[in-house]
Amino acid sequence: MNARTNALDGKHAVVTGGGSGIGAAIAHALAGAGARVTLIGRDAEKLEAQRQALGTAQPTHCEAADVTRPEAVERAFASATATLGPVDILVNNAGQAQAAPFGKTDLGLWQRMLDVNLTGTFLCTQAALPAMIERGFGRIVNVASTAGQIGYPYVAAYCAAKHGVIGLTRSLALEIATTGVTVNAVCPGYTETPLLQESLDQVIAKTGRTASDARAALQRANPQRRFIEPDEVAHAVLWLLMPESRSITGQSISISGGEVM
Ligand code: NAD
């Protein structure tokens, strides 16, 4: 698909975790298609640098907020709406992945994974959805993971959270199907980002493997034997935002070289 460069003209898109990796690639794609983009994340400096790098003629904005904190989310969406208008598009991308054997998964790790990956998605969706329904249009895309579609060892908490994101996506899509708002999930396999590098560092530290062995071990999960590029995920998100994608809702689209089918 070649997204028309003006396909999102006039739309206000919020991307959480937009300061790096997949979120930054999505923000670039949306700005390139004409959207006014708000980046939400924890690190104000990183967000501002990314906002400037968008290099678009459209107005852009950023809000420093932790998506796990209800009052911070409420404040960020109120300020984003006051600055760039009602939110038409929400990409719930902020997330973290921490590995541990189940026996060493303490309540703190479990709660951190649920808070950022699942509760963050819930809170941002609650903040954006009422205005979408009121205006009869909205697009919500949740960046889940293949870990929301299948199990993996040593990441039970992350997998549980991402499976939860897919459950939320399906239920909400049905509940609001007649409102003009669609809700979908994209499910990347291992994608070349800072988060992947952290996972590789954990593998290297715990197993003593070399960097290239650790990369090869994770790449074996993908039938194409490669990592996904953030732009590939952004491309799928952009497609879901097009007016012609209005019949697609409640879906979990695997972007994984055929790892999940
Ligand atoms: P990343 O670390 O580059 O980006 C994650 C972003 O989320 C960062 O900018 C971070 O600051 C932000 N963030 C984290 N916790 C936050 C919080 N509490 N509040 C606000 N912002 C917060 O990693 P990425 O790989 O680009 O990850 C983006 C999404 O893609 C995540 O949801 C991740 O689970 C998912 N994902 C990544 C991969 C992969 O292999 N990289 C695979 C599947 C899914």
Side-chain angles (χ1 to χ4, degrees):
M1 179 207 60
N2 279 319
R4 299 187 304 276
T5 51
N6 61 350
L8 300 181
D9 259 2
K11 301 281 191 242
H12 178 193
V14 171
V15 181
T16 69
S20 61
I22 293 170
I26 292 170
H28 276 271
L30 271 52
R36 289 172 281 136
V37 175
T38 293
L39 303 174
I40 293 182
R42 291 166 307 173
D43 182 337
E45 265 179 41
K46 195 167 81 172
L47 285 179
E48 178 55 25
Q50 198 52 246
R51 188 191 71 75
Q52 288 181 20
L54 290 177
T56 162
Q58 302 294 329
T60 50
H61 180 62
C62 45
E63 286 289 336
D66 181 330
V67 297
T68 68
R69 301 193 44 209
E71 60 303 336
V73 169
E74 210 174 298
R75 208 178 322 113
F77 276 82
S79 170
T81 299
T83 309
L84 295 184
V87 176
D88 303 289
I89 294 164
L90 169 63
V91 182
N92 283 308
N93 164 81
Q96 295 173 34
Q98 202 178 336
F102 186 72
K104 292 190 174 159
T105 299
D106 59 20
L107 188 57
L109 190 161
W110 173 261
Q111 200 59 56
R112 274 196 304 284
M113 291 301 98
L114 290 181
D115 282 351
V116 63
N117 293 294
L118 182 55
T119 305
T121 298
F122 164 75
L123 291 173
C124 293
T125 301
Q126 284 221 319
L129 185 60
M132 292 179 179
I133 292 177
E134 197 180 304
R135 298 165 75 237
F137 176 86
R139 292 278 188 272
I140 298 172
V141 181
N142 298 323
V143 180
S145 168
T146 49
Q149 300 182 297
I150 58 173
Y152 293 84
Y154 308 116
V155 282
Y158 180 70
C159 266
K162 292 298 192 183
H163 273 70
V165 170
I166 290 181
L168 168 64
T169 301
R170 290 177 174 152
S171 290
L172 183 59
L174 277 182
E175 187 171 325
I176 61 172
T178 59
T179 64
V181 182
T182 66
V183 192
N184 290 288
V186 292
C187 302
Y190 290 117
T191 306
E192 195 83 73
T193 71
L195 181 145
L196 177 69
Q197 191 53 50
E198 279 168 34
S199 302
L200 285 165
D201 292 344
Q202 288 178 34
V203 171
I204 292 163
K206 282 181 185 154
T207 64
R209 284 180 171 155
T210 64
S212 69
D213 281 353
R215 286 178 74 82
L218 294 194
Q219 282 172 339
R220 274 197 289 279
N222 179 330
Q224 295 178 341
R225 303 287 182 259
R226 54 184 281 271
F227 292 138
I228 310 299
E229 292 296 330
D231 283 347
E232 297 177 78
V233 182
H235 189 77
V237 171
L238 195 53
W239 171 67
L240 287 168
L241 304 181
M242 293 296 121
E244 297 81 1
S245 300
R246 66 185 175 278
S247 294
I248 299 161
T249 194
Q251 303 305 303
S252 312
I253 298 173
S254 201
I255 305 166
S256 61
E259 184 182 351
V260 177
M261 60 175 69

